[in-house]
Amino acid sequence: MKKFSHVGIPTPNQHPGETFNEAIGLYVTDFKESENHIEWLRFLEDSPMPEELKNTAHVAYEVDNLDEAMKGKTVLLEPFYPNDSLKVAFVLEDEAPVELMEYID
């Protein structure tokens, strides 16, 4: 299964409800709080995140099996756990970043 989750849009502007992740130099909003499922991403200049994420919007999908969904894809960002119930990776589809999300029980 592959189900639409949200769109992530890089921005230089502050947005209400941002949280800060110091480790990756990123302010981010919760897409679940947006009527249109928009996640705003505001990166610090020295953020270690890939330039493709800092400069290009991404689309995100929930998948049943992250490892399977990544097979044959160009990996932009290896799988990581933003919290205890979610495993995430970023791949490239042509030039566009795509976020794959597997919720863990």
Side-chain angles (χ1 to χ4, degrees), residues 1-69:
M1 173 202 73
K2 184 174 167 182
K3 177 183 167 191
F4 173 77
S5 173
H6 66 274
V7 173
I9 304 174
T11 181
N13 304 317
Q14 291 183 2
H15 286 268
E18 289 179 333
T19 58
F20 183 59
N21 182 322
E22 186 174 358
I24 59 174
L26 171 65
Y27 289 90
V28 62
T29 63
D30 184 351
F31 65 86
K32 293 176 185 172
E33 299 296 320
S34 166
E35 177 182 347
N36 295 300
H37 292 255
I38 295 173
E39 173 185 70
W40 293 103
L41 306 160
R42 186 165 57 93
F43 294 92
L44 298 182
E45 251 185 68
D46 61 349
S47 170
M49 296 299 280
E51 290 300 315
E52 293 90 344
L53 290 179
K54 292 162 112 175
N55 298 308
T56 308
H58 71 268
V59 63
Y61 295 96
E62 293 179 28
V63 296
D64 290 331
N65 184 310
L66 184 60
D67 296 328
E68 285 295 317

